[in-house]
Amino acid sequence: MLDIKIQKTASPKKIPAKGEKLGFGHIFTDHMFIMNYTEGKGWHDPRIVPFGDITLSPAAMVLHYGQEMFEGLKAYRGENGEVYLFRPDMNAKRANNSNDRLCIPRIPEEDFVQAVKAVVAVDSDWVPSEEGTSLYIRPFVISTDAHLGVAPSKTYMFIIILSPSGAYYESGLAPVGIWIEDEYVRAVRGGMGFAKTGGNYAASLAAQVKAHDGGYSQALWLDGVERKYIEEVGSMNIAFKISGKVVTPMLNGSILPGITRDSILHLCREWGYEVEERRISVDELIAAAHSGALEEVFGTGTAAVVSPVGKLRYKDDVIEIGGGKIGELTQKLYDELTGIQWGKRPDPYGWRVKVC
Ligand code: COI
């Protein structure tokens, strides 16, 4: 159990008013959690302090070699004003899988969850209550040794910042267009595609710029070896409804094991859908689209929640899905998942965790 010291801000900021457009990841709350790691001493000095700049040596290893991991989860305001997290234990586990891959010391899962709960509780007034809004929580670890040799750092900072946010996509729940990238790749097996680390997102930017320039919201990655099998989208996992079955790329080490992905597959199985986690080639997808077997396409992610995809582009082929409307299963999944997250629907799976 962490002994967290709390230093409250002397100059609280204005909390966004009801109805104010929040966007995603622009606004930050009054406080943040920080804990340091020093080799030989372990994680120490857990504290909640006013949100503000941090001081790093320009030689800090994270700035040069990208030894860092991050997580993303949300706090939701329930109907009676209470605040919930959604499966934070899964974020704690995934953080340590990323830490292992990046040679970052593990954070005990219970300490990770305690730290998230503590900082959310301090800034609980910042959890918005309007439909579709939440407090996005960004835990991350950076390597801080001032040293230019390539080696694991001996010191780190674990920080948690909070950002009241609305929908990830500006279009909200309107179907987005996705660009299937055929030039760049994001990750290969044996690489660090499964880890949540900045380098994977840096690797995605060139394709994302291409996608935007082409009029699409995000790029969808193909596998890095054969450039044939569907992997994931820049900020979400992807799933298809093909001839009544739910099909999604299997976790193969190069895609992110999404917590929303896991939750929606669970719901689909509970509802009696046949779910296939397997390799799915872009050719199979295009053929399914042309034959009419491709019924729905949607992305899943903490930030993206359940996002309908209305258009896919692959080379010269542009596939329209669902006539610009959200699919029936996509909508049902969105409603059920957000219903559980916001405390509007029963939570038979024990996914919701009360903060205050
Ligand atoms: C999340 O969904 O929490 C993510 O981390 C995606 C992000 C890169 C916006």
Side-chain angles (χ1 to χ4, degrees):
M1 178 106 175
L2 297 174
D3 179 16
I4 304 175
K5 302 271 175 304
I6 301 179
Q7 180 204 339
K8 290 265 185 87
T9 179
S11 43
K13 292 177 286 200
K14 195 174 154 290
I15 297 177
K18 260 190 173 208
E20 202 171 314
K21 200 164 183 293
L22 297 173
F24 177 82
H26 300 292
I27 304 167
F28 299 98
T29 65
D30 279 330
H31 298 92
M32 60 185 180
F33 172 89
I34 303 187
M35 177 160 79
N36 295 81
Y37 179 91
T38 308
E39 197 177 68
K41 191 168 173 191
W43 289 106
H44 59 91
D45 290 317
R47 58 207 183 269
I48 291 171
V49 294
F51 179 91
D53 294 348
I54 54 170
T55 305
L56 281 182
S57 163
M61 295 182 89
V62 65
L63 302 176
H64 302 272
Y65 307 125
Q67 193 196 7
E68 75 100 41
M69 83 79 194
F70 74 92
E71 267 302 320
L73 68 163
K74 285 175 172 172
Y76 307 86
R77 169 99 43 211
E79 288 190 316
N80 301 323
E82 64 283 22
V83 174
Y84 297 112
L85 302 173
F86 183 73
R87 308 185 77 184
D89 53 310
M90 297 279 283
N91 294 91
K93 282 195 182 73
R94 190 173 63 183
N96 277 333
N97 291 337
S98 302
N99 284 340
D100 289 347
R101 180 65 181 82
L102 284 138
C103 299
I104 295 172
R106 297 186 135 236
I107 300 166
E109 283 169 28
E110 59 281 11
D111 293 353
F112 180 104
V113 175
Q114 186 196 344
V116 169
K117 281 183 171 172
V119 68
V120 170
V122 167
D123 275 341
S124 62
D125 288 351
W126 286 79
V127 182
S129 57
E130 298 212 286
E131 173 115 26
T133 63
S134 54
L135 185 70
Y136 185 77
I137 305 166
R138 172 54 61 87
F140 61 103
V141 175
I142 53 173
S143 50
T144 52
D145 274 9
H147 175 48
L148 297 183
V150 179
S153 180
K154 294 182 169 54
T155 59
Y156 299 86
M157 285 171 94
F158 173 39
I159 304 178
I160 306 173
I161 56 175
L162 309 170
S163 174
S165 294
Y168 185 69
Y169 293 110
E170 273 181 22
S171 55
L173 247 197
V176 292
I178 298 287
W179 169 282
I180 303 181
E181 173 58 31
D182 54 1
E183 181 190 1
Y184 299 118
V185 297
R186 172 186 173 272
V188 289
R189 254 151 276 157
M192 54 184 198
F194 69 89
K196 216 156 166 59
T197 184
N200 286 330
Y201 295 79
S204 77
L205 296 177
Q208 190 176 316
V209 169
K210 264 171 76 185
H212 276 179
D213 289 350
Y216 292 78
S217 295
Q218 295 252 320
L220 189 156
W221 298 104
L222 297 179
D223 75 278
V225 179
E226 296 175 69
R227 297 191 196 190
K228 187 171 162 191
Y229 297 100
I230 306 284
E231 297 243 301
E232 68 176 67
V233 179
S235 59
M236 55 190 193
N237 295 112
I238 189 101
F240 309 96
K241 184 160 165 262
I242 303 176
S243 303
K245 290 184 198 166
V246 177
V247 183
T248 194
M250 64 193 190
L251 299 179
N252 59 359
S254 65
I255 70 171
L256 189 83
I259 295 161
T260 312
R261 174 189 180 279
D262 181 81
S263 309
I264 66 104
L265 295 184
H266 193 92
L267 291 174
C268 288
R269 289 190 174 106
E270 288 275 306
W271 293 341
Y273 284 95
E274 205 173 312
V275 174
E276 294 180 350
E277 293 179 70
R278 64 169 169 84
R279 296 216 289 187
I280 170 165
S281 73
V282 64
D283 294 339
E284 176 186 344
L285 186 69
I286 303 288
H290 287 311
S291 72
L294 180 64
E295 293 156 356
E296 296 185 36
V297 181
F298 54 91
T300 60
T302 298
V305 195
V306 178
S307 284
V309 175
K311 193 160 79 165
L312 286 170
R313 165 268 171 206
Y314 180 59
K315 296 187 173 162
D316 294 329
D317 234 327
V318 176
I319 302 162
E320 305 275 351
I321 308 132
K325 292 207 200 80
I326 182 165
E328 203 182 313
L329 174 62
T330 310
Q331 181 75 57
K332 192 172 166 198
L333 284 167
Y334 178 87
D335 291 343
E336 183 68 14
L337 191 73
T338 55
I340 295 174
Q341 290 170 334
W342 274 293
K344 290 183 185 159
R345 295 197 178 183
D347 173 25
Y349 319 109
W351 288 342
R352 206 159 55 212
V353 172
K354 195 164 173 189
V355 176
C356 54

